[in-house]
Amino acid sequence: MKKNIFGNFIPTITMLVIAIISYFFRFKDLLIVGIVGIIPISFFIEGVMCSRKKIGWIIPLILSLTVFFIIDKIMLFMNDSLNVYLKYYLVVYILGYLLEKLISVLKNKIKNR
């Protein structure tokens, strides 16, 4: 199976788009919805894709969290809640990764019967 690293950039692209649109067009609602809903979904999708493509989970996770940290410090200035969101995204990513692993194991067990 070819290891495509596109899944590693889904949260990065999502964060950049949300940050740019909300910063330049002053859409505060988009920023809140993005941080609480859209970005965690992209982390979940990244976890699922890394598990499905059998890519290591640590480097994509560190890359995505680092990009979030940098974007937050440069554009969003959410100093107090940064640690909460980093933990939130970490948990969502791991849930996506583990859910896909569990589904893969169950499929293989059913297929081998």
Side-chain angles (χ1 to χ4, degrees), residues 56-98:
W57 63 277
I58 294 175
I59 293 174
L61 178 63
I62 291 172
L63 175 71
S64 297
L65 291 176
T66 303
V67 168
F68 175 73
F69 182 80
I70 291 169
I71 289 174
D72 182 68
K73 290 297 181 182
I74 292 174
M75 297 183 86
L76 305 177
F77 307 110
M78 293 176 30
N79 297 330
D80 296 337
S81 61
L82 178 65
N83 290 331
V84 174
Y85 286 113
L86 288 176
K87 291 173 188 173
Y88 176 48
Y89 298 153
L90 172 72
V91 169
V92 170
Y93 177 89
I94 291 173
L95 284 174
Y97 190 85
L98 292 178

Side-chain angles (χ1 to χ4, degrees), residues 8-17 42-43 46 63-64 67-68 71:
N8 298 354
F9 298 110
I10 291 174
T12 303
I13 294 168
T14 305
M15 286 183 268
L16 286 172
V17 168
S42 67
F43 269 89
E46 179 186 28
L63 175 71
S64 297
V67 168
F68 175 73
I71 289 174

Side-chain angles (χ1 to χ4, degrees), residues 10-55:
I10 291 174
T12 303
I13 294 168
T14 305
M15 286 183 268
L16 286 172
V17 168
I18 289 172
I20 290 169
I21 290 173
S22 63
Y23 184 78
F24 288 115
F25 296 111
R26 305 285 185 226
F27 292 147
K28 294 290 183 183
D29 293 339
L30 176 66
L31 179 65
I32 293 168
V33 169
I35 288 174
V36 175
I38 298 171
I39 294 173
I41 290 171
S42 67
F43 269 89
F44 185 83
I45 292 170
E46 179 186 28
V48 168
M49 289 183 73
C50 287
S51 176
R52 181 168 286 179
K53 299 289 185 180
K54 295 179 177 45
I55 298 171

